[in-house]
Amino acid sequence: FPSHDKNDRVFFGVDGQPTRETVLRSMAEKYKVSFTEKQIKEFSLMSTFGVPIAQLPQLLDMKAEERLKVTQSGIPCDSLNNELSDWIWQTRLANNVVRIAVKGDRETNYPVVKKVIATLQERKVNRFNFTTSMERPE
């Protein structure tokens, strides 16, 4: 699922360790980025990430607690470099029954949501869920 935050960064995650491994191997081949078996295993355990694929090996080499402290720049999803589109496509090839959900909150900028939805539609994903973060009552 693609998600985004108030800083216009886009993140991606998919359920299922085998699916994550398959998707990463496919993306590695497409983008000519090498991953060790240890990095692939680590990726299979991550719920979401938000860096360009070229930066992913470095992120995967960090300990989980170190990763939480790093500001991830977001997955490129603009017209000149749309890695998000490829993550979505490779995920659908790996698991054709995957359900897509876009996650955001009231602080998410509309142009980012529009860009993510346009990316889904370019990949012929016209049915998806849109989820928002729950607000805590004050």
Side-chain angles (χ1 to χ4, degrees):
F1 58 89
S3 63
H4 27 78
D5 68 5
K6 65 183 177 182
N7 297 316
D8 295 346
R9 296 176 301 168
V10 174
F11 294 79
F12 186 77
V14 63
D15 291 337
Q17 289 181 357
T19 300
R20 288 184 199 131
E21 287 184 18
T22 300
V23 170
L24 183 60
R25 289 178 195 280
S26 298
M27 288 293 289
E29 185 176 325
K30 178 173 180 51
Y31 283 88
K32 310 291 187 249
V33 177
S34 297
F35 293 93
T36 66
E37 287 302 314
K38 183 178 179 186
Q39 290 169 331
I40 292 169
K41 180 65 176 171
E42 192 62 33
F43 183 81
S44 78
L45 301 173
M46 290 174 50
S47 59
T48 62
F49 70 96
V51 295
I53 192 164
Q55 296 173 16
L56 197 50
Q58 181 181 358
L59 186 71
L60 294 170
D61 285 340
M62 295 178 183
K63 293 185 174 164
E65 57 273 9
E66 291 174 339
R67 250 184 261 132
L68 294 173
K69 298 173 187 173
V70 172
T71 300
Q72 297 183 35
S73 60
I75 297 171
C77 62
D78 58 43
S79 58
L80 297 177
N81 181 13
N82 196 337
E83 289 182 15
L84 178 62
S85 177
D86 291 326
W87 283 106
I88 292 166
W89 181 248
Q90 294 303 326
T91 299
R92 291 190 77 196
L93 291 177
N95 181 350
N96 65 356
V97 295
V98 70
R99 297 183 63 129
I100 303 289
V102 177
K103 182 180 176 188
D105 63 24
R106 67 184 185 143
E107 294 182 355
T108 302
N109 292 319
Y110 178 72
V112 176
V113 175
K114 188 175 178 181
K115 196 181 307 185
V116 169
I117 291 172
T119 296
L120 290 170
Q121 291 175 331
E122 286 168 11
R123 287 300 185 173
K124 307 293 187 231
V125 178
N126 294 306
R127 298 187 75 196
F128 54 87
N129 295 331
F130 189 81
T131 62
T132 58
S133 300
M134 298 289 288
E135 283 189 53
R136 287 186 178 171
E138 296 184 24

